[in-house]
């Protein structure tokens, strides 16, 4: 990349190996289940997460929406974190298109919801209330700063869901970052979940596409939801070919992104005028100290104009800047970033 783009891991480009595999991909019409590359990707993804079946979807947003539409009826309610991506950044698709009501709970600093809050959020069998159908977790938790959610906590929520006849869905857009952070088999992080969405783009570098996994019957219903959302692709093998490399190769290098995020955080924290806020997995957040002498927008503008470095002012009033490391951010890029920030703030 000619520039250093830290705004998100969604900005990562496909690797050369992916582009070559895409050019060579065997394809067919996936609506007829005829695309061998998509079929391979779905089978491998289901096996890797320990579920019966999988469906390739266009995006994380579509995967989450297909899951909710397949699990819930109109007028039903789901329990979900108030800072979850599904609630905050997916345009309320569940309500717009599925008539599903979100019952939000506060997300704690570690990305979890308290079990007592979960218990209290289930509606009684009362004709005044929507039926509570599902609980959703997010791993890693984006707005909590990329914090990974442990297998132990997920198992507790899965147990809570089972006891109360609820479905557990995980928005695991970055579930492989969580697996890398804990150095565990990803199966352990999703063992009790009925469905999981994860992204092949973002840190895994595929140009597009996500996967939704679950039981065979659930995936059959999710495919129907994908169709009505216009997400059923034809010769999608060209994308799935990159997805296979994401799944089998790129997930093994995510710990390197986490180490780079740590180096970036350390480097930034030594610069006068920078107040480091947090670092988890591949996420780094910082603010400018009051005496830094540079308003946030001007700082971000100068980095882009003078150094080709892209950063994202995050969350408006929070006054923070969010950085994400990914495949295209190496150690040399991190050195360039810390030098540029020092120069601007000096
Ligand atoms: N998140 C994007 C933006 O939409 C905020 C980002 O830059 O982080 N779940 C989680 C936890 C996500 O972070 C995202 C993307 C999604 C779902 C949606 O994935 P896409 O963009 O593929 O629809």
């Amino acid at each position: 990349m000619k520039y250093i783009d830290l705004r998100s891991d969604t900005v990562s480009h496909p690797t050369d190996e992916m582009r070559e595999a895409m050019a060579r991909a065997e394809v067919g019409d996936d609506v007829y289940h005829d695309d061998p590359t998509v079929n391979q990707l779905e089978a491998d993804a289901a096996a890797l997460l320990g579920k019966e079946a999988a469906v390739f979807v266009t995006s994380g947003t579509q995967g989450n929406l297909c899951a909710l539409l397949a699990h819930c009826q109109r007028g039903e309610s789901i329990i979900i974190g108030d800072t979850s991506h599904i609630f905050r950044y997916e345009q309320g698709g569940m309500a717009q298109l599925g008539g599903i009501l979100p019952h939000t709970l506060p997300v704690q600093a570690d990305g979890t919801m308290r079990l007592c809050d979960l218990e209290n959020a289930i509606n009684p069998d009362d004709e005044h209330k929507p039926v509570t159908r599902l609980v959703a977790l997010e791993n890693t938790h984006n707005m909590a700063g990329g914090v990974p959610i442990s297998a132990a906590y997920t198992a507790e929520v899965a147990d809570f869901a089972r006891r109360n006849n609820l479905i557990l869905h995980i928005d695991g857009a970055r579930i492989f970052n969580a697996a890398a952070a804990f150095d565990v088999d990803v199966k352990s992080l999703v063992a009790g979940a009925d469905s999981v969405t994860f992204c092949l783009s973002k840190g895994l570098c595929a140009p597009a596409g996500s996967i939704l996994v679950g039981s065979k019957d659930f995936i059959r219903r999710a495919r129907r939801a994908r169709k009505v959302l216009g997400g059923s692709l034809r010769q999608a093998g060209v994308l799935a070919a990159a997805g296979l490399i994401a799944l089998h190769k790129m997930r093994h290098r995510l710990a390197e992104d986490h180490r780079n995020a740590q180096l970036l955080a350390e480097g930034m924290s030594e610069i006068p005028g920078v107040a480091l806020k947090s670092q988890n997995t591949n996420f780094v957040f910082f603010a400018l100290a009051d005496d830094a002498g540079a308003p946030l927008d001007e700082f971000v503008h100068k980095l882009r104009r003078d150094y080709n470095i892209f950063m994202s002012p995050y969350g408006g009033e929070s006054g923070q800047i969010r950085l994400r490391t990914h495949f295209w951010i190496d150690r040399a890029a991190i050195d360039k970033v810390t030098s540029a920030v020092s120069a601007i703030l000096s």
Side-chain angles (χ1 to χ4, degrees):
M1 283 182 168
K2 293 189 195 69
Y3 42 81
I4 299 174
D5 196 343
L6 294 152
R7 289 172 300 171
S8 181
D9 44 11
T10 60
V11 303
S12 63
H13 291 186
T15 62
D16 289 344
E17 187 184 2
M18 285 178 174
R19 289 173 188 268
E20 281 157 28
M22 291 171 81
R24 285 194 316 269
E26 254 190 86
V27 297
D29 188 331
D30 183 44
V31 177
Y32 291 96
H33 296 259
D34 267 357
D35 189 304
T37 315
V38 172
N39 291 344
Q40 178 80 54
L41 175 64
E42 291 177 345
D44 290 3
L48 199 63
L49 273 82
K51 305 294 175 197
E52 278 178 12
V55 59
F56 180 69
V57 289
T58 58
S59 65
T61 302
Q62 189 176 73
N64 287 329
L65 186 53
C66 285
L68 297 184
L69 293 177
H71 283 311
C72 304
Q73 301 294 315
R74 296 187 75 78
E76 292 184 339
S77 161
I78 70 163
I79 304 171
I80 188 154
D82 57 357
T83 56
S84 65
H85 195 277
I86 292 179
F87 180 62
R88 289 281 185 106
Y89 293 111
E90 298 182 11
Q91 237 196 71
M94 70 175 111
Q96 279 202 57
L97 303 178
I100 301 161
L101 184 79
H103 180 138
T104 57
L105 293 180
V107 171
Q108 308 302 307
D110 64 358
T112 66
M113 293 174 282
R114 282 195 296 251
L115 284 160
C116 57
D117 288 345
L118 290 174
E119 297 278 358
N120 291 333
I122 301 174
N123 283 334
D125 182 9
D126 173 338
E127 66 185 70
H128 295 88
K129 311 258 184 182
V131 171
T132 309
R133 179 65 64 207
L134 176 147
V135 57
L137 296 179
E138 184 174 313
N139 197 4
T140 63
H141 200 289
N142 187 336
M143 283 196 77
V147 67
I149 309 295
S150 70
Y153 173 77
T154 306
E156 279 188 88
V157 176
D159 180 55
F160 153 83
R162 231 181 348 265
R163 275 188 286 110
N164 292 287
N165 215 10
L166 299 179
I167 292 158
L168 172 60
H169 173 70
I170 300 180
D171 173 1
R174 296 181 183 81
I175 196 77
F176 289 109
N177 290 88
F182 291 123
D183 194 16
V184 296
D185 184 334
V186 70
K187 281 193 193 89
S188 69
L189 297 177
V190 300
D194 297 287
S195 58
V196 185
T197 308
F198 72 88
C199 295
L200 298 161
S201 56
K202 309 193 171 55
L204 298 184
C205 273
S210 292
I211 297 278
L212 175 61
V213 298
S215 71
K216 277 189 187 144
D217 184 52
F218 162 74
I219 291 298
R220 191 184 50 73
R221 285 180 279 123
R223 279 184 76 99
R224 284 187 62 80
R226 183 185 68 165
K227 186 76 183 140
V228 76
L229 296 175
S232 300
L233 302 175
R234 300 295 178 172
Q235 287 70 32
V238 286
L239 292 172
L244 280 165
I245 294 169
L247 197 63
H248 292 302
K249 203 158 182 181
M250 301 305 278
R251 76 184 159 92
H252 296 299
R253 55 155 306 285
L254 291 173
E256 193 181 321
D257 294 342
H258 300 178
R259 279 193 296 277
N260 284 341
Q262 215 176 333
L263 282 177
L264 183 58
E266 283 163 15
M268 295 293 285
S269 66
E270 284 165 15
I271 301 172
V274 168
L276 181 72
K277 295 295 181 185
S278 67
Q279 184 269 314
N280 295 292
T281 58
N282 63 327
F283 287 46
V284 178
F285 283 84
F286 73 93
L288 297 181
D290 290 341
D291 58 359
L296 207 65
D297 288 347
E298 195 181 308
F299 170 79
V300 169
H301 176 67
K302 276 189 185 164
L303 275 171
R304 181 183 268 260
R305 188 192 60 199
D306 301 339
Y307 298 93
N308 264 339
I309 295 173
F310 303 171
M311 293 187 182
S312 224
Y314 184 71
E317 289 145 40
S318 78
Q320 293 190 21
I321 295 184
R322 171 184 95 173
L323 309 178
R324 302 255 180 88
T325 54
H326 51 80
F327 178 76
W328 298 96
I329 304 295
D330 58 12
R331 292 195 179 195
I334 289 169
D335 289 342
K336 281 187 194 154
V337 171
T338 47
S339 308
V341 172
S342 301
I344 292 177
L345 296 181
S346 65

